[in-house]
Amino acid sequence: MSLNTIILMGRLTRDPELRRGATGTAICGFSIAVDRDYKADNGERQTDFIDIVTFKNTAEFVSKYFAKGRMAVVHGRLQIRDWQDKEGNRRRSAEVVAQSVYFGDSKRPDDGPERFSGDPIPSPVYPGIPGYEAPAAYSPGDFSVTEEEDSELPF
């Protein structure tokens, strides 16, 4: 038996980028800044910047409702990829393949610049909390990732 599950909470460091794979599958990439639980010797809190990729309905949802600075809760799996850079050097990178992404804050359209084109923003929802139900924009069963989609990662 193997277990590969990760849950992160952090702020988006840039706007999500929505692309389409060769088969038309929606692929969305973004990064989040996650503070560590402890402070360094100098008293400053350390931050990790983590790349996230998501597919299909979740990718569409993230690209529509999230923007730089928005707090996100990400549930997925850690993936390590080996690749070659332009000089032919072997590289390795880690990223999270998100199965679901939730709001980590409760921003309303009137809280700042218009980002949501007047679309209603789904209420924050979290699994395990009484009254939880997935928003109509996606459902947990829509998040399976095929090996073909995995190989289409542009990030």
Side-chain angles (χ1 to χ4, degrees):
M1 179 178 168
S2 64
L3 179 66
N4 183 353
T5 298
I6 189 166
I7 300 172
L8 300 167
M9 182 170 159
R11 295 201 179 273
L12 274 71
T13 62
R14 58 185 166 88
D15 287 339
E17 296 176 25
L18 181 66
R19 299 179 185 174
R20 299 282 173 186
T23 61
T25 301
I27 304 169
C28 185
F30 59 99
S31 295
I32 60 173
V34 178
D35 287 337
R36 294 184 185 171
D37 289 339
Y38 57 88
K39 294 182 180 180
D41 292 339
N42 64 5
E44 292 184 16
R45 191 170 300 278
Q46 300 292 308
T47 302
D48 293 304
F49 298 91
I50 301 169
D51 293 329
I52 313 288
V53 63
T54 190
F55 298 92
K56 298 181 180 180
N57 291 345
T58 307
E60 301 276 358
F61 175 76
V62 169
S63 70
K64 185 172 182 177
Y65 292 109
F66 285 82
K68 179 180 178 179
R70 190 82 197 254
M71 182 69 73
V73 178
V74 176
H75 175 251
R77 64 180 169 84
L78 183 62
Q79 175 173 283
I80 309 297
R81 291 191 302 127
D82 294 318
W83 51 281
Q84 277 190 339
D85 64 16
K86 293 177 183 176
E87 290 80 36
N89 299 314
R90 293 181 61 156
R91 301 285 183 181
R92 177 172 275 194
S93 59
E95 62 197 354
V96 173
V97 178
Q99 296 168 330
S100 56
V101 179
Y102 305 97
F103 293 112
D105 55 13
S106 57
K107 184 174 179 163
R108 295 180 309 274
D110 58 346
D111 285 345
E114 186 62 37
R115 157 83 170 113
F116 305 105
S117 307
D119 292 341
I121 301 171
S123 300
V125 293
Y126 306 95
I129 295 179
Y132 166 76
E133 65 181 70
Y138 62 93
S139 75
D142 292 336
F143 302 125
S144 60
V145 177
T146 66
E147 285 184 30
E148 179 181 308
E149 292 165 339
D150 239 2
S151 67
E152 292 180 357
L153 293 174
F155 309 102

Short mmCIF file of all heavy atoms in Angstrom, two decimals, residues 78-109:
data_model
loop_
_atom_site.label_atom_id
_atom_site.label_comp_id
_atom_site.label_asym_id
_atom_site.label_seq_id
_atom_site.Cartn_x
_atom_site.Cartn_y
_atom_site.Cartn_z
N LEU A 78 1.87 14.75 -4.27
CA LEU A 78 3.17 15.26 -4.66
C LEU A 78 3.69 14.46 -5.84
O LEU A 78 3.55 13.24 -5.89
CB LEU A 78 4.15 15.14 -3.49
CG LEU A 78 5.55 15.70 -3.71
CD1 LEU A 78 5.49 17.20 -3.97
CD2 LEU A 78 6.43 15.40 -2.52
N GLN A 79 4.26 15.18 -6.82
CA GLN A 79 4.81 14.52 -8.00
C GLN A 79 6.21 15.07 -8.26
O GLN A 79 6.41 16.29 -8.25
CB GLN A 79 3.90 14.80 -9.20
CG GLN A 79 4.42 14.26 -10.51
CD GLN A 79 3.41 14.41 -11.61
OE1 GLN A 79 2.45 13.63 -11.68
NE2 GLN A 79 3.57 15.41 -12.45
N ILE A 80 7.15 14.20 -8.50
CA ILE A 80 8.53 14.58 -8.82
C ILE A 80 8.75 14.27 -10.30
O ILE A 80 8.45 13.17 -10.75
CB ILE A 80 9.55 13.80 -7.96
CG1 ILE A 80 9.22 13.88 -6.47
CG2 ILE A 80 10.97 14.27 -8.27
CD1 ILE A 80 9.27 15.26 -5.88
N ARG A 81 9.28 15.26 -11.03
CA ARG A 81 9.54 15.06 -12.46
C ARG A 81 11.01 15.30 -12.77
O ARG A 81 11.59 16.27 -12.29
CB ARG A 81 8.70 16.01 -13.31
CG ARG A 81 7.22 15.73 -13.28
CD ARG A 81 6.43 16.49 -14.32
NE ARG A 81 6.59 17.93 -14.19
CZ ARG A 81 6.95 18.75 -15.18
NH1 ARG A 81 7.21 18.28 -16.37
NH2 ARG A 81 7.04 20.04 -14.98
N ASP A 82 11.58 14.43 -13.59
CA ASP A 82 12.94 14.61 -14.09
C ASP A 82 12.85 15.18 -15.50
O ASP A 82 12.00 14.75 -16.29
CB ASP A 82 13.68 13.26 -14.12
CG ASP A 82 13.91 12.70 -12.73
OD1 ASP A 82 14.27 13.49 -11.83
OD2 ASP A 82 13.72 11.48 -12.54
N TRP A 83 13.74 16.11 -15.83
CA TRP A 83 13.73 16.73 -17.15
C TRP A 83 15.11 17.27 -17.47
O TRP A 83 15.99 17.28 -16.62
CB TRP A 83 12.67 17.83 -17.22
CG TRP A 83 12.73 18.85 -16.11
CD1 TRP A 83 12.27 18.69 -14.84
CD2 TRP A 83 13.31 20.15 -16.16
NE1 TRP A 83 12.52 19.83 -14.09
CE2 TRP A 83 13.16 20.74 -14.89
CE3 TRP A 83 13.94 20.88 -17.16
CZ2 TRP A 83 13.61 22.02 -14.60
CZ3 TRP A 83 14.39 22.16 -16.87
CH2 TRP A 83 14.22 22.72 -15.61
N GLN A 84 15.30 17.69 -18.73
CA GLN A 84 16.57 18.26 -19.15
C GLN A 84 16.38 19.72 -19.50
O GLN A 84 15.42 20.10 -20.16
CB GLN A 84 17.10 17.54 -20.40
CG GLN A 84 17.83 16.26 -20.09
CD GLN A 84 18.54 15.72 -21.32
OE1 GLN A 84 18.21 16.05 -22.44
NE2 GLN A 84 19.52 14.88 -21.09
N ASP A 85 17.33 20.56 -19.05
CA ASP A 85 17.26 21.97 -19.40
C ASP A 85 17.88 22.20 -20.78
O ASP A 85 18.31 21.24 -21.44
CB ASP A 85 17.92 22.84 -18.32
CG ASP A 85 19.42 22.60 -18.17
OD1 ASP A 85 20.03 21.99 -19.07
OD2 ASP A 85 19.98 23.05 -17.15
N LYS A 86 17.92 23.45 -21.23
CA LYS A 86 18.40 23.77 -22.57
C LYS A 86 19.86 23.39 -22.79
O LYS A 86 20.29 23.13 -23.91
CB LYS A 86 18.22 25.26 -22.84
CG LYS A 86 16.78 25.67 -22.92
CD LYS A 86 16.64 27.17 -23.11
CE LYS A 86 15.18 27.56 -23.10
NZ LYS A 86 14.99 29.01 -23.20
N GLU A 87 20.63 23.38 -21.71
CA GLU A 87 22.05 23.02 -21.80
C GLU A 87 22.27 21.51 -21.71
O GLU A 87 23.41 21.05 -21.71
CB GLU A 87 22.87 23.72 -20.71
CG GLU A 87 22.99 25.23 -20.90
CD GLU A 87 21.75 25.98 -20.45
OE1 GLU A 87 21.13 25.57 -19.44
OE2 GLU A 87 21.39 26.95 -21.11
N GLY A 88 21.21 20.73 -21.57
CA GLY A 88 21.32 19.28 -21.48
C GLY A 88 21.54 18.75 -20.09
O GLY A 88 21.76 17.55 -19.91
N ASN A 89 21.50 19.61 -19.08
CA ASN A 89 21.66 19.18 -17.69
C ASN A 89 20.39 18.52 -17.19
O ASN A 89 19.29 18.99 -17.47
CB ASN A 89 22.01 20.37 -16.79
CG ASN A 89 23.29 21.04 -17.19
OD1 ASN A 89 24.29 20.38 -17.45
ND2 ASN A 89 23.27 22.36 -17.26
N ARG A 90 20.57 17.45 -16.42
CA ARG A 90 19.40 16.78 -15.83
C ARG A 90 18.90 17.59 -14.64
O ARG A 90 19.68 18.03 -13.81
CB ARG A 90 19.77 15.37 -15.40
CG ARG A 90 20.09 14.48 -16.60
CD ARG A 90 20.43 13.11 -16.15
NE ARG A 90 19.25 12.58 -15.46
CZ ARG A 90 19.01 11.30 -15.31
NH1 ARG A 90 19.84 10.43 -15.79
NH2 ARG A 90 17.94 10.89 -14.67
N ARG A 91 17.61 17.80 -14.59
CA ARG A 91 16.98 18.56 -13.51
C ARG A 91 15.86 17.74 -12.91
O ARG A 91 15.33 16.82 -13.52
CB ARG A 91 16.40 19.88 -14.03
CG ARG A 91 17.38 20.80 -14.68
CD ARG A 91 18.22 21.45 -13.64
NE ARG A 91 19.14 22.39 -14.27
CZ ARG A 91 20.00 23.10 -13.64
NH1 ARG A 91 20.08 23.00 -12.33
NH2 ARG A 91 20.79 23.91 -14.27
N ARG A 92 15.48 18.12 -11.70
CA ARG A 92 14.36 17.48 -11.01
C ARG A 92 13.53 18.58 -10.37
O ARG A 92 14.06 19.52 -9.79
CB ARG A 92 14.90 16.53 -9.94
CG ARG A 92 13.82 15.89 -9.10
CD ARG A 92 14.39 14.85 -8.22
NE ARG A 92 14.45 13.63 -9.04
CZ ARG A 92 14.65 12.42 -8.57
NH1 ARG A 92 14.89 12.25 -7.30
NH2 ARG A 92 14.64 11.38 -9.35
N SER A 93 12.22 18.46 -10.50
CA SER A 93 11.34 19.45 -9.88
C SER A 93 10.17 18.74 -9.21
O SER A 93 9.77 17.65 -9.60
CB SER A 93 10.83 20.47 -10.90
OG SER A 93 10.13 19.84 -11.94
N ALA A 94 9.66 19.38 -8.18
CA ALA A 94 8.52 18.85 -7.44
C ALA A 94 7.33 19.78 -7.65
O ALA A 94 7.48 20.99 -7.74
CB ALA A 94 8.84 18.77 -5.95
N GLU A 95 6.16 19.20 -7.76
CA GLU A 95 4.92 19.97 -7.89
C GLU A 95 3.79 19.16 -7.27
O GLU A 95 3.92 17.96 -7.06
CB GLU A 95 4.62 20.28 -9.35
CG GLU A 95 4.41 19.06 -10.21
CD GLU A 95 4.52 19.33 -11.69
OE1 GLU A 95 4.64 20.50 -12.08
OE2 GLU A 95 4.48 18.37 -12.45
N VAL A 96 2.71 19.85 -6.98
CA VAL A 96 1.53 19.19 -6.44
C VAL A 96 0.49 19.09 -7.54
O VAL A 96 0.17 20.09 -8.19
CB VAL A 96 0.97 19.97 -5.23
CG1 VAL A 96 -0.36 19.38 -4.78
CG2 VAL A 96 1.97 19.95 -4.09
N VAL A 97 -0.01 17.88 -7.79
CA VAL A 97 -1.13 17.68 -8.70
C VAL A 97 -2.38 17.75 -7.85
O VAL A 97 -2.64 16.86 -7.03
CB VAL A 97 -1.03 16.33 -9.45
CG1 VAL A 97 -2.23 16.14 -10.35
CG2 VAL A 97 0.27 16.26 -10.24
N ALA A 98 -3.12 18.85 -7.97
CA ALA A 98 -4.27 19.10 -7.11
C ALA A 98 -5.50 18.34 -7.57
O ALA A 98 -5.85 18.38 -8.75
CB ALA A 98 -4.59 20.60 -7.06
N GLN A 99 -6.14 17.67 -6.64
CA GLN A 99 -7.41 17.01 -6.91
C GLN A 99 -8.57 17.95 -6.61
O GLN A 99 -9.62 17.85 -7.22
CB GLN A 99 -7.54 15.75 -6.07
CG GLN A 99 -6.50 14.72 -6.43
CD GLN A 99 -6.44 13.59 -5.41
OE1 GLN A 99 -6.72 13.79 -4.23
NE2 GLN A 99 -6.07 12.43 -5.86
N SER A 100 -8.36 18.84 -5.65
CA SER A 100 -9.39 19.84 -5.32
C SER A 100 -8.72 21.08 -4.77
O SER A 100 -7.64 21.02 -4.18
CB SER A 100 -10.40 19.28 -4.31
OG SER A 100 -9.75 18.83 -3.15
N VAL A 101 -9.37 22.22 -5.02
CA VAL A 101 -8.88 23.52 -4.55
C VAL A 101 -10.08 24.25 -3.96
O VAL A 101 -11.14 24.33 -4.59
CB VAL A 101 -8.26 24.34 -5.71
CG1 VAL A 101 -7.79 25.70 -5.20
CG2 VAL A 101 -7.11 23.58 -6.36
N TYR A 102 -9.90 24.77 -2.75
CA TYR A 102 -10.97 25.46 -2.03
C TYR A 102 -10.53 26.87 -1.68
O TYR A 102 -9.33 27.15 -1.59
CB TYR A 102 -11.31 24.72 -0.72
CG TYR A 102 -11.66 23.28 -0.92
CD1 TYR A 102 -10.70 22.29 -0.74
CD2 TYR A 102 -12.94 22.91 -1.30
CE1 TYR A 102 -11.02 20.95 -0.92
CE2 TYR A 102 -13.26 21.58 -1.49
CZ TYR A 102 -12.30 20.60 -1.30
OH TYR A 102 -12.61 19.29 -1.49
N PHE A 103 -11.49 27.74 -1.44
CA PHE A 103 -11.17 29.08 -0.97
C PHE A 103 -10.66 29.00 0.47
O PHE A 103 -11.23 28.31 1.30
CB PHE A 103 -12.41 29.97 -1.00
CG PHE A 103 -12.90 30.26 -2.39
CD1 PHE A 103 -14.11 29.76 -2.83
CD2 PHE A 103 -12.15 31.03 -3.26
CE1 PHE A 103 -14.55 30.01 -4.11
CE2 PHE A 103 -12.59 31.30 -4.53
CZ PHE A 103 -13.79 30.79 -4.97
N GLY A 104 -9.60 29.73 0.75
CA GLY A 104 -9.08 29.80 2.11
C GLY A 104 -9.46 31.10 2.78
O GLY A 104 -9.12 31.35 3.93
N ASP A 105 -10.17 31.95 2.05
CA ASP A 105 -10.67 33.21 2.59
C ASP A 105 -12.08 33.41 2.06
O ASP A 105 -12.61 32.58 1.34
CB ASP A 105 -9.75 34.38 2.21
CG ASP A 105 -9.52 34.49 0.70
OD1 ASP A 105 -10.24 33.83 -0.08
OD2 ASP A 105 -8.62 35.23 0.29
N SER A 106 -12.69 34.52 2.40
CA SER A 106 -14.07 34.76 1.95
C SER A 106 -14.18 36.12 1.29
O SER A 106 -14.96 36.95 1.71
CB SER A 106 -15.04 34.65 3.12
OG SER A 106 -14.67 35.56 4.14
N LYS A 107 -13.39 36.35 0.26
CA LYS A 107 -13.41 37.62 -0.46
C LYS A 107 -14.71 37.77 -1.23
O LYS A 107 -15.22 36.83 -1.81
CB LYS A 107 -12.23 37.68 -1.44
CG LYS A 107 -12.13 38.98 -2.15
CD LYS A 107 -10.88 39.05 -2.98
CE LYS A 107 -10.85 40.38 -3.69
NZ LYS A 107 -9.55 40.72 -4.19
N ARG A 108 -15.25 38.97 -1.22
CA ARG A 108 -16.46 39.29 -1.96
C ARG A 108 -16.07 40.21 -3.12
O ARG A 108 -15.07 40.92 -3.04
CB ARG A 108 -17.47 39.97 -1.05
CG ARG A 108 -17.97 39.07 0.07
CD ARG A 108 -18.97 39.80 0.96
NE ARG A 108 -18.49 41.08 1.44
CZ ARG A 108 -17.75 41.27 2.53
NH1 ARG A 108 -17.37 40.25 3.25
NH2 ARG A 108 -17.36 42.47 2.88
N PRO A 109 -16.87 40.25 -4.20
CA PRO A 109 -16.52 41.10 -5.35
C PRO A 109 -16.34 42.57 -5.00
O PRO A 109 -15.56 43.25 -5.63
CB PRO A 109 -17.69 40.92 -6.30
CG PRO A 109 -18.27 39.60 -5.95
CD PRO A 109 -18.05 39.45 -4.46
#
